[in-house]
């Protein structure tokens, strides 16, 4: 039996999952790391902690397994995308905290780019809306805020990478590379020419010398140092977390859709070998390439999902665990008068309002925690339905199902509400490690363990199907739309702080 080690470098924790060649989980190790919020709208992480927890969970997953380490034939890396790290090429040490994808500190830089009329150019070349969400403005901010960083980056002494690239550099002892799915989320990569774009580099003032080499998702990127894990493992697949989930869900056909409910929620549709430029606020990204040409995906991004559960638990302390939310939501009888718009770090697809902040409407003396929790779950369902509606407008058609994964997708109340809102079956696989599985499958393709997609299709996970019950939520949906409009009308002066 051969084995694949998958690293799932997430927003709040890092995990290592050891799969056997049939796609079954052998061992799992997970370690959370700290998030820092130095100012409103700012989100940071410690790159050294990202690295140490990654090495720790890989070592733990291997130690738990009763196998010969030499039978681990390859490694795949999947990661939180857009999060930006700059580090010293010689020492490997980061020169500043990592700026996380959720961070809004560079919203003014994004607005300045749009004000200069570059929005359409960026969108046509990258498939992305100009927004602080993506890496380009974060890179510029770090280069300008750390003394001497820009000059050293121009000489190639300071390197940029998303989390995948940073981990690869340290695990292999110096390989500076990324894959095209992660590169396509920087707002510097041309998804048509499949290369860093000189005009975009000039617009965002980023030197090419600091950028990683870009490779296909299935590729031999390098080999881990034996000193890390007691054996050298080839890294043969790297792919951004949402594209990995699309691949792990086996959405191989054009039009198939998945939604991952993690820290944020991300809805992706396979659009085949042609990128689709949306007219309704959706994004277009490179999904993968396994040797038969690039495959693209249309994407909707929701910034608050699991982070809402964390807020309820850690900040408001109205729940002790996310598992409490389902029975509490079901305990609210009839219509919920509360509407919650969780715009903690702005609103993503299809609204794209960086300055919006969270609002709650309909509070009365009888409002209790159950009303708030139900409103929070409903908000996630409404935002997901809004994205799917936009996808249907772009493609002039619907889809007979949506595949879901991620921790928050285990909430039956939320999935039932979503099924009714979109009027389609919701398929939830029994295997919850879909993102890591996608990275493992990609590495398997890259290493030659799997010949093609037919090999992967044989390893499909069973799924539970949640069917619509025919409930009419048009009244609640109208209240939601109005609440979003009112939220976008209120921009507090200190949002940019």
């Amino acid at each position: 039996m051969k084995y694949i080690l998958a690293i799932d470098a997430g927003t709040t924790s890092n995990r290592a999952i050891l799969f056997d060649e049939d796609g079954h989980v052998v061992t799992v190790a997970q370690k959370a790391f700290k998030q820092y919020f130095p100012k409103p709208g700012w989100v940071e992480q410690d790159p050294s902690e990202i690295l140490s927890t990654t090495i720790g969970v890989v070592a733990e997953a291997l130690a738990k397994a009763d196998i010969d380490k030499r039978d681990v034939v390859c490694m795949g890396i999947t990661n939180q995308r857009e999060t930006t790290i700059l580090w010293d090429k010689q020492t490997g040490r980061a020169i500043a905290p990592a700026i996380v994808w959720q961070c809004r500190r560079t919203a003014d830089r994004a607005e300045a780019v749009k004000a200069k009329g570059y929005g359409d150019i960026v969108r046509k070349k990258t498939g992305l809306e100009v927004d602080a969400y993506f890496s380009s403005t974060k890179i510029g901010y770090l280069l300008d805020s750390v003394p001497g960083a820009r000059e050293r980056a121009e000489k190639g002494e300071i390197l940029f990478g998303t989390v995948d690239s940073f981990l690869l550099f340290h695990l292999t002892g110096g390989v500076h590379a990324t894959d095209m799915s992660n590169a396509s989320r920087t707002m510097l990569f041309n998804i048509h020419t499949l290369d860093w774009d000189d005009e975009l580099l000039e617009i965002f003032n980023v030197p090419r010398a600091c950028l990683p080499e870009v490779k296909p998702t299935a590729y031999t990127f390098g080999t881990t140092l034996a000193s890390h894990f007691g054996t050298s493992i080839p890294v043969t697949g790297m792919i951004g977390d949402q594209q990995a989930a699309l691949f792990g869900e086996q959405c191989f056909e054009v039009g198939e859709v998945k939604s991952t409910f993690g820290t944020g929620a991300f809805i992706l549709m396979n659009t085949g070998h042609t990128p689709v430029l949306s007219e309704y606020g959706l994004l277009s990204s490179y999904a993968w390439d396994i040797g038969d040409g690039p495959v693209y995906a249309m994407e909707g991004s929701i910034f608050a999902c699991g982070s809402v559960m964390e807020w309820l638990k850690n900040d408001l302390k109205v729940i002790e665990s996310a598992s409490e939310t389902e029975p509490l939501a079901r305990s609210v009888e009839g219509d919920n008068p509360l509407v919650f718009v969780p715009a903690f770090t702005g609103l993503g697809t299809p609204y794209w309002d960086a300055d919006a902040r969270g609002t709650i409407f309909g509070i009365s003396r009888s409002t209790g925690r159950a009303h708030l929790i139900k409103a929070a779950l409903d908000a996630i369902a409404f935002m997901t339905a809004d994205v799917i509606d936009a996808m249907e407008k772009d493609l002039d058609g619907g889809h007979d199902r949506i595949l879901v994964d991620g921790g928050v997708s285990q909430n039956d109340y939320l999935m039932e509400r979503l099924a009714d809102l979109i009027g389609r079956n919701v398929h939830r696989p029994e295997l919850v490690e879909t993102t890591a599985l996608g990275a493992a499958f990609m590495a398997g393709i890259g290493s030659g363990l799997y010949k093609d997609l037919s090999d992967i299709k044989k390893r499909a996970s069973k799924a539970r199907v949640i069917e619509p019950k025919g409930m009419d939520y048009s009244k609640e949906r109208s209240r939601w739309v109005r609440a979003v409009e009112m939220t976008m009308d209120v921009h507090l002066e200190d949002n940019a702080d």
Side-chain angles (χ1 to χ4, degrees):
M1 178 68 75
K2 302 299 182 184
Y3 301 90
I4 306 172
L5 196 291
I7 292 173
D8 184 356
T11 304
T12 59
S13 70
N14 285 327
R15 290 185 297 170
I17 300 93
L18 186 67
F19 293 93
D20 67 23
E21 62 189 77
D22 292 325
H24 301 132
V25 174
V26 179
T27 60
V28 179
Q30 181 171 356
K31 179 70 172 178
F33 53 85
K34 191 172 181 180
Q35 315 293 301
Y36 299 90
F37 308 95
K39 293 183 180 182
W42 288 36
V43 190
E44 296 179 349
Q45 294 167 352
D46 181 350
S48 66
E49 191 176 5
I50 293 174
L51 177 61
S52 65
T53 53
T54 299
I55 292 174
V57 293
V58 172
E60 182 181 345
L62 290 172
K64 286 180 177 179
D66 185 19
I67 64 169
D68 187 332
K69 291 181 181 179
R70 291 172 295 183
D71 289 331
V72 181
V73 296
C74 58
M75 174 186 288
I77 299 174
T78 185
N79 57 288
Q80 53 166 318
R81 306 167 302 169
E82 300 96 19
T83 294
T84 297
I85 304 174
L86 296 185
W87 68 92
D88 187 298
K89 182 178 181 179
Q90 293 301 316
T91 67
R93 295 193 189 98
I95 66 171
I99 302 181
V100 181
W101 58 271
Q102 297 163 307
C103 188
R104 306 305 303 174
R105 76 182 65 182
T106 59
D108 57 340
R109 288 175 176 255
E111 289 303 317
V113 168
K114 288 191 283 188
K116 293 177 181 177
Y118 292 129
D120 284 344
I121 294 173
V122 172
R123 183 170 170 272
K124 288 176 182 177
K125 291 192 172 194
T126 69
L128 308 176
E129 298 288 337
V130 175
D131 192 83
Y133 175 23
F134 306 105
S135 306
S136 58
T137 58
K138 303 179 195 296
I139 301 170
Y141 171 87
L142 288 174
L143 291 177
D144 292 335
S145 61
V146 178
R150 180 169 292 281
E151 292 76 11
R152 295 188 65 202
E154 290 171 350
K155 297 176 184 178
E157 297 173 359
I158 296 295
L159 304 180
F160 154 74
T162 41
V163 172
D164 61 304
S165 184
F166 180 72
L167 292 177
L168 180 72
F169 182 89
H170 286 276
L171 293 177
T172 61
V175 174
H176 186 217
T178 189
D179 79 281
M180 293 187 186
S181 70
N182 275 294
S184 74
R185 306 293 294 185
T186 62
M187 216 154 58
L188 299 172
F189 185 77
N190 189 315
I191 61 173
H192 308 285
T193 64
L194 303 181
D195 193 9
W196 302 118
D197 188 277
D198 288 332
E199 184 176 17
L200 296 174
L201 296 180
E202 183 177 352
I203 289 172
F204 292 102
N205 196 18
V206 174
R208 182 181 279 267
C210 74
L211 300 177
E213 191 173 0
V214 185
K215 300 295 183 182
T217 48
Y219 182 83
T220 301
F221 290 87
T223 302
T224 65
L225 299 174
S227 57
H228 284 312
F229 312 120
T231 186
S232 295
I233 306 173
V235 180
T236 57
M238 294 206 308
I239 183 169
D241 56 3
Q242 301 312 317
Q243 291 95 326
L246 190 71
F247 199 75
E249 290 272 23
Q250 300 196 21
C251 294
F252 301 144
E253 303 299 326
V254 174
E256 291 190 303
V257 180
K258 75 87 198 175
S259 181
T260 297
F261 295 88
T263 302
F266 301 90
I267 302 92
L268 271 71
M269 175 192 291
N270 184 327
T271 62
H273 295 296
T274 304
V276 175
L277 295 183
S278 172
E279 297 180 6
Y280 297 95
L282 293 155
L283 309 174
S284 189
S285 298
Y286 177 103
W288 61 72
D289 185 350
I290 59 171
D292 56 355
V295 172
Y296 295 90
M298 180 180 287
E299 176 173 344
S301 304
I302 297 169
F303 298 153
C305 181
S307 57
V308 178
M309 301 298 106
E310 292 175 3
W311 178 70
L312 293 170
K313 175 178 177 287
N314 299 329
D315 297 290
L316 293 193
K317 302 186 186 306
V318 295
I319 56 172
E320 293 185 0
S321 72
S323 62
E324 297 176 41
T325 59
E326 182 176 337
L328 282 167
R330 294 190 190 277
S331 73
V332 178
E333 298 181 358
D335 289 346
N336 186 9
L338 216 62
V339 181
F340 175 26
V341 182
F344 296 153
T345 55
L347 290 168
T349 313
Y351 326 104
W352 293 110
D353 189 335
D355 294 323
R357 290 297 178 264
T359 54
I360 301 173
F361 298 93
I363 297 176
S364 69
R365 183 63 185 83
S366 62
T367 299
R369 66 170 182 152
H371 296 96
L372 177 59
I373 288 163
K374 178 178 170 66
L377 292 173
D378 288 348
I380 296 169
F382 286 138
M383 290 188 290
T384 305
D386 288 347
V387 171
I388 292 173
D389 285 351
M391 283 183 170
E392 291 181 358
K393 290 177 183 177
D394 268 316
L395 296 182
D396 193 25
H399 319 283
D400 61 358
R401 66 173 185 171
I402 179 173
L403 296 98
V404 299
D405 59 87
V408 182
S409 73
Q410 299 305 303
N411 190 300
D412 284 348
Y413 169 83
L414 172 59
M415 294 300 102
E416 291 168 10
R417 176 62 68 111
L418 177 61
D420 272 318
L421 284 171
I422 64 176
R424 314 179 160 69
N425 291 344
V426 173
H427 289 238
R428 184 175 63 199
E430 292 180 357
L431 178 63
V432 297
E433 305 288 359
T434 309
T435 301
L437 182 63
F441 282 157
M442 188 59 63
I445 290 281
S447 69
L449 182 63
Y450 307 132
K451 294 181 180 178
D452 51 32
L453 293 182
S454 63
D455 267 358
I456 294 175
K457 289 178 181 178
K458 297 173 185 176
R459 295 160 170 84
S461 172
K462 294 181 180 179
R464 178 187 169 190
V465 179
I466 300 169
E467 299 179 350
K469 297 179 179 178
M471 301 295 290
D472 182 7
Y473 292 121
S474 56
K475 180 180 177 182
E476 291 89 338
R477 189 80 180 273
S478 295
R479 285 206 302 258
W480 163 258
V481 170
R482 179 61 180 142
V484 170
E485 292 172 348
M486 293 174 69
T487 298
M488 294 172 67
D489 284 341
V490 179
H491 287 169
L492 302 180
E493 292 181 0
D494 62 353
N495 279 359
D497 290 349

